Amino acid sequence: MATTATITLSSADIAGDPVNVSKTMTCTKAGTTTDLDQSTGLNRVHLRSVTNKVLLAANAEGNDLAAKVYIINKATDPTLYVTITINAQTIGKLYAGDWMFIPWSQTDVAADIEVAATSWTASTGDIPVEYALFHEDTDLLTNA
Amino acid sequence: MATTIATISLTSSDLLSSALAFSQTNPLNTAGSATGLTLTSGLARTTTIYGTSATIESTTLYRSDDALTNGANKIYLKNMSAIAAEYYTVFIDQEEMGRLYAGDWAFFPWSATAGTKETFIVTATGTVAAGDSWEFDGITTTSTSAVLATFATQVDNQHFPNWTTTRSGAIVTFVARHAREDGVITGDAAITGDVLYDAAGSNFTMPITGGTAGAGSRSESDIMIIPSVHTTMTLEHMLFHQ
């Protein structure tokens, strides 16, 4: 049940020499070479709340297990961004088209991944966000 | 303007009953614009290793001071280990984000919420004489003249490990290189650890005369890692930032 994630980072001009990074990982269970076997699938939400909303609810049973989170801001207006937090700790802002792929510890039930459509106004329209969770815990629940 | 492209491809033929395959490509732009990021740390490697009985400590990969607060900064991490059980725990400030197991990579935006850099002003006062000196931050400045402004220039020309300086007349303004809560300034009238040597007994002093002494505050999103084992592990990382 191999799930692979490949990243490519390339730039011909951000430095004096080109940047070319291409890495592929296989998503595995914690500390093993066994493939992750569960996923929420790809989800899509349309955000209009400028305050944090839970995107993925943490489950303490997920602590010490492997979980990977993919989130992308599908807006096309470059000024529209969403703010990603874990347990009130701001991770960063995803601007239009930006994506992220991170491991997620779920250290406790407070470690929710939350998102806020910080730049939303009535005139901007909703901000579409897509996300997916790949994980290993059979009891792991999300609010997807 | 530079152009940097980040692409992710996620694929699985058998995780679900239908094949999973999607790919997204996006240029890395500055916040709220279509202008490409122009700054990068370059691809770097950090190796961690500890003695068998040593305590494993966290390592700071990036300080919030390294990038623009609330900029469209991006961080790439990859655990280079080939041993499945070896992982790095990634923290943003005090919050554990997740564990990067062998071969895992991560890519995420970073707000780089910086704190306040402590700053203070000292003024060379009294009568300075050649041979008088003032030590601060481990650096001793010995006066070569009897002119206060000249001595202030000498102080300003030093390379303090934890502070940058500017000068105006006999006044030197110090700004910490990094934001921190527990700075060395204890108040408006004292500098912890500074040493004055008035060789000529001419009432030469270097008092704090202004600034926001004691007003430093810590950064709140430094990126830190902790390895799972004492033996050698290596992490590759790169920062794209404003």
Side-chain angles (χ1 to χ4, degrees):
Chain A
M1 295 186 180
T3 302
T4 60
T6 300
I7 185 172
T8 303
L9 297 167
S10 62
S11 179
D13 54 4
I14 196 169
D17 292 305
V19 171
N20 282 300
V21 173
S22 183
K23 299 293 183 186
T24 297
M25 60 179 274
T26 300
C27 299
T28 57
K29 295 182 179 179
T32 73
T33 56
T34 306
D35 297 330
L36 285 182
D37 54 10
Q38 297 177 56
S39 174
T40 62
L42 188 62
N43 298 264
R44 185 179 178 98
V45 291
H46 290 249
L47 302 173
R48 69 185 66 173
S49 171
V50 296
T51 58
N52 284 346
K53 296 293 183 184
V54 175
L55 195 68
L56 291 164
N59 184 330
E61 294 179 17
N63 191 18
D64 295 339
L65 300 181
K68 315 295 180 194
V69 175
Y70 164 76
I71 305 173
I72 183 171
N73 177 353
K74 296 294 288 184
T76 55
D77 179 341
T79 65
L80 295 182
Y81 64 89
V82 295
T83 304
I84 308 295
T85 63
I86 298 178
N87 194 14
Q89 171 68 53
T90 299
I91 306 300
K93 295 177 177 178
L94 286 176
Y95 284 86
D98 282 352
W99 57 266
M100 62 188 283
F101 187 76
I102 60 169
W104 184 29
S105 279
Q106 302 179 89
T107 50
D108 54 45
V109 293
D112 295 344
I113 294 182
E114 299 186 333
V115 61
T118 318
S119 60
W120 179 90
T121 68
S123 62
T124 62
D126 297 347
I127 301 178
V129 166
E130 291 183 350
Y131 64 98
L133 170 67
F134 303 90
H135 60 95
E136 64 173 294
D137 182 359
T138 54
D139 294 325
L140 186 65
L141 302 176
T142 77
N143 67 336
Chain B
M1 171 180 123
T3 300
T4 305
I5 303 297
T7 301
I8 183 172
S9 298
L10 279 162
T11 62
S12 179
S13 61
D14 52 6
L15 177 65
L16 307 169
S17 57
S18 297
L20 173 71
F22 59 87
S23 180
Q24 295 289 339
T25 295
N26 192 54
L28 304 185
N29 292 331
T30 58
S33 79
T35 303
L37 290 176
T38 57
L39 302 174
T40 180
S41 65
L43 187 61
R45 280 193 172 195
T46 295
T47 294
T48 52
I49 182 171
Y50 296 88
T52 307
S53 58
T55 301
I56 294 178
E57 304 284 357
S58 61
T59 297
T60 301
L61 278 187
Y62 296 110
R63 291 177 177 271
S64 300
D65 297 335
D66 295 338
L68 177 69
T69 296
N70 287 324
N73 317 301
K74 304 290 187 297
I75 288 177
Y76 163 76
L77 308 174
K78 178 178 171 60
N79 180 353
M80 301 302 291
S81 174
I83 300 172
E86 292 185 349
Y87 61 87
Y88 278 105
T89 306
V90 180
F91 289 83
I92 298 184
D93 193 37
Q94 306 304 303
E95 183 65 27
E96 178 178 328
M97 181 170 73
R99 294 177 176 182
L100 274 183
Y101 283 92
D104 283 359
W105 59 262
F107 186 73
F108 53 94
W110 183 39
S111 283
T113 307
T116 304
K117 294 178 178 178
E118 197 171 18
T119 180
F120 67 95
I121 297 168
V122 293
T123 303
T125 59
T127 303
V128 68
D132 287 354
S133 64
W134 182 64
E135 178 187 342
F136 176 64
D137 203 18
I139 303 295
T140 299
T141 305
T142 302
S143 181
T144 57
S145 80
V147 178
L148 290 170
T150 301
F151 180 71
T153 299
Q154 287 184 251
V155 172
D156 183 40
N157 287 340
Q158 301 280 26
H159 303 288
F160 294 93
N162 298 297
W163 302 82
T164 60
T165 58
T166 55
R167 182 197 67 88
S168 176
I171 299 169
V172 182
T173 299
F174 284 74
V175 177
R177 294 187 187 274
H178 298 293
R180 55 184 291 183
E181 185 81 31
D182 57 340
V184 299
I185 308 306
T186 57
D188 288 343
I191 303 173
T192 301
D194 79 321
V195 179
L196 186 81
Y197 180 57
D198 186 10
S202 53
N203 197 31
F204 168 56
T205 60
M206 288 285 283
I208 294 178
T209 56
T212 54
S217 63
R218 70 180 184 87
S219 296
E220 296 181 2
S221 57
D222 290 353
I223 304 293
M224 288 173 276
I225 56 166
I226 298 179
S228 61
V229 296
H230 290 77
T231 50
T232 301
M233 287 180 63
T234 300
L235 185 82
E236 278 195 352
H237 50 96
M238 184 158 39
L239 167 65
F240 300 91
H241 66 101
Q242 293 187 245

